[in-house]
Amino acid sequence: MRKNSVKNIRINGEVQRELAEIIRGELKDPRISPLASVVSVTVAPDLKTCKAYISVLGDEEAQAATMEGLKSASGFIRSALARNLNLRNTPVITFIAEQSIAYGVEMSAKIDEVIAQIPDRSDEELSQED
């Protein structure tokens, strides 16, 4: 199976959906933040390994605790994944911290800050028309 085949893309999507469900609904570890999300998943073509990119909204301490909790629960997550998906092999999951959500929130705040500094043109246009 090629890396970018339709089958591999479908498997990546299914594993991502199931991982999100397992992390949100089945894990009881208090270290795992409720604001953790599975950004993307890359399953190897031989279905032996999987990289799961996890983003945590919060400070670095919450992100580190969440990653530690996920790594310690990887065996449970893998067995739950095997129960929920019908794959020939259940991949070994490697969790990787992703900063995209935090980066997006930070950029959105900066954009709002810049927009707030721009003077409102409608007030200037009204005063010039009078």
Side-chain angles (χ1 to χ4, degrees):
M1 176 171 58
R2 292 187 322 260
K3 186 171 185 170
N4 292 328
S5 69
V6 173
K7 183 178 178 184
N8 197 307
I9 292 169
R10 182 181 55 81
I11 289 172
N12 288 344
E14 287 292 316
V15 170
Q16 179 179 354
R17 186 177 56 78
E18 284 300 324
L19 273 179
E21 286 292 320
I22 292 166
I23 291 171
R24 185 175 348 124
E26 296 182 31
L27 290 181
K28 306 295 184 215
D29 193 334
R31 295 177 290 184
I32 298 173
S33 171
L35 299 175
S37 62
V38 181
V39 177
S40 67
V41 171
T42 305
V43 179
D46 63 356
L47 303 176
K48 302 265 187 201
T49 60
C50 168
K51 292 180 183 177
Y53 297 92
I54 308 294
S55 181
V56 180
L57 188 59
D59 59 352
E60 288 187 22
E61 183 179 316
Q63 182 175 2
T66 298
M67 295 308 291
E68 190 64 34
L70 288 173
K71 286 177 185 172
S72 69
S74 63
F76 172 79
I77 294 171
R78 186 175 182 212
S79 66
L81 196 63
R83 267 195 322 266
N84 297 338
L85 290 179
N86 185 15
L87 294 175
R88 180 181 40 208
N89 297 320
T90 304
V92 176
I93 304 165
T94 304
F95 294 103
I96 299 171
E98 173 83 20
Q99 304 291 338
S100 63
I101 291 178
Y103 179 75
V105 169
E106 181 182 338
M107 292 307 293
S108 178
K110 287 181 180 181
I111 290 171
D112 291 342
E113 183 180 310
V114 169
I115 289 174
Q117 292 176 355
I118 297 174
D120 191 12
R121 293 187 186 268
S122 61
D123 292 341
E124 292 174 8
E125 291 171 2
L126 290 175
S127 64
Q128 289 176 359
E129 290 176 4
D130 291 337

